[in-house]
Amino acid sequence: SCRCTGGEAPYIPTWFATPPDSKYIYLCDGYGSDRIFAFDSATGKFMNQTWGGRSPAGLHPGVHAARLAPHGKFMENHGCTYDPRPTTESHTIVVSDRRNMRFEFFHYNPTNPTKFEWYKTADMSEELGPATLPCNMRMTHGSKFDPRHGGISVVADLNGPVAILDSEHHVLSVINVSVLLAHEQQFHPHDATLLSNGDIVVATWAPGRLSYWKRL
């Protein structure tokens, strides 16, 4: 997030969610204001609706302060993803609150841009340790639930691993990307996605590279 001094935080968006049943898309300003913006999906018009803002504990909150961060406030709301799984409530968007080491779950209204309400949190420091920086949570290769995946999700952690979680957000397995691909300088997983056959593609940052991981 921007270390801003004096005045408004800049607009430096990082991700957006595109629920297929909604008239609106939701954009995370993850390196700027830590807010979420609603736009009309057909025209791109800003709906004059924002939520969130910066949590009080700062860029390096530590586990204790991160767990006390107010729900719906963020420090690097880096990713936001539509969640189609039947194991979560309908009309759900998951926001990665990266520096607070958690995912926040929100209800949206597909026909009304004024609703974006928090209803639960998944604390990744409990699952991946106190240094975790979860970039995003992805559940499927498309916008529909794929029962072949059994409700799992995949999470890229900027500090090195990629985790596969069950539907209750507990770790099933971990790919230690930064260790296994250290010889290629792939130290910082920035995104990961499930393919239709269960394989995983991981994108690493600095340098930007892709790796393909086959399901066995």
Side-chain angles (χ1 to χ4, degrees):
S1 291
C2 172
R3 299 174 185 270
C4 307
T5 57
E8 292 292 322
Y11 177 66
I12 312 175
T14 50
W15 222 283
F16 59 91
T18 56
D21 63 347
S22 178
K23 295 172 61 178
Y24 310 102
I25 61 175
Y26 301 85
L27 183 143
C28 285
D29 188 21
Y31 291 154
S33 65
D34 292 295
R35 300 192 69 83
I36 295 168
F37 297 78
F39 296 86
D40 185 286
S41 61
T43 66
K45 178 183 177 182
F46 175 49
M47 302 309 299
N48 201 33
Q49 294 290 328
T50 70
W51 305 271
R54 192 156 295 177
S55 64
L59 195 59
H60 304 285
V63 170
H64 178 71
R67 289 176 178 169
L68 295 177
H71 297 301
K73 296 291 184 180
F74 312 109
M75 180 52 66
E76 286 184 2
N77 58 331
H78 184 270
C80 50
T81 305
Y82 165 70
D83 190 342
R85 295 175 295 178
T87 51
T88 53
E89 298 181 20
S90 60
H91 308 318
T92 289
I93 287 175
V94 185
V95 177
S96 168
D97 186 11
R98 189 161 72 179
R99 295 286 176 168
N100 286 323
M101 299 173 275
R102 66 186 184 179
F103 290 104
E104 298 258 275
F105 291 70
F106 296 85
H107 287 135
Y108 65 91
N109 185 326
T111 61
N112 187 331
T114 64
K115 181 178 181 179
F116 200 81
E117 296 177 353
W118 171 86
Y119 73 90
K120 74 172 183 177
T121 296
D123 181 0
M124 288 295 101
S125 68
E126 293 182 351
E127 296 294 327
L128 295 172
T132 186
L133 294 173
C135 292
N136 199 11
M137 178 186 288
R138 290 190 183 268
M139 305 82 184
T140 179
H141 61 284
S143 60
K144 296 181 179 180
F145 173 67
D146 188 338
R148 292 174 297 177
H149 292 162
I152 66 172
S153 64
V154 60
V155 173
D157 183 334
L158 193 66
N159 273 337
V162 170
I164 299 164
L165 310 182
D166 66 16
S167 60
E168 298 298 321
H169 323 303
H170 301 306
V171 171
L172 293 172
S173 61
V174 173
I175 305 170
N176 288 309
V177 173
S178 63
V179 176
L180 296 170
L181 296 183
H183 62 288
E184 296 185 3
Q185 298 183 347
Q186 297 201 41
F187 298 120
H188 303 292
H190 202 254
D191 191 17
T193 190
L194 285 163
L195 302 182
S196 58
N197 63 358
D199 295 349
I200 294 173
V201 176
V202 177
T204 50
W205 166 79
R209 292 177 179 171
L210 296 175
S211 59
Y212 189 102
W213 301 84
K214 189 171 181 60
R215 181 179 180 179
L216 299 178

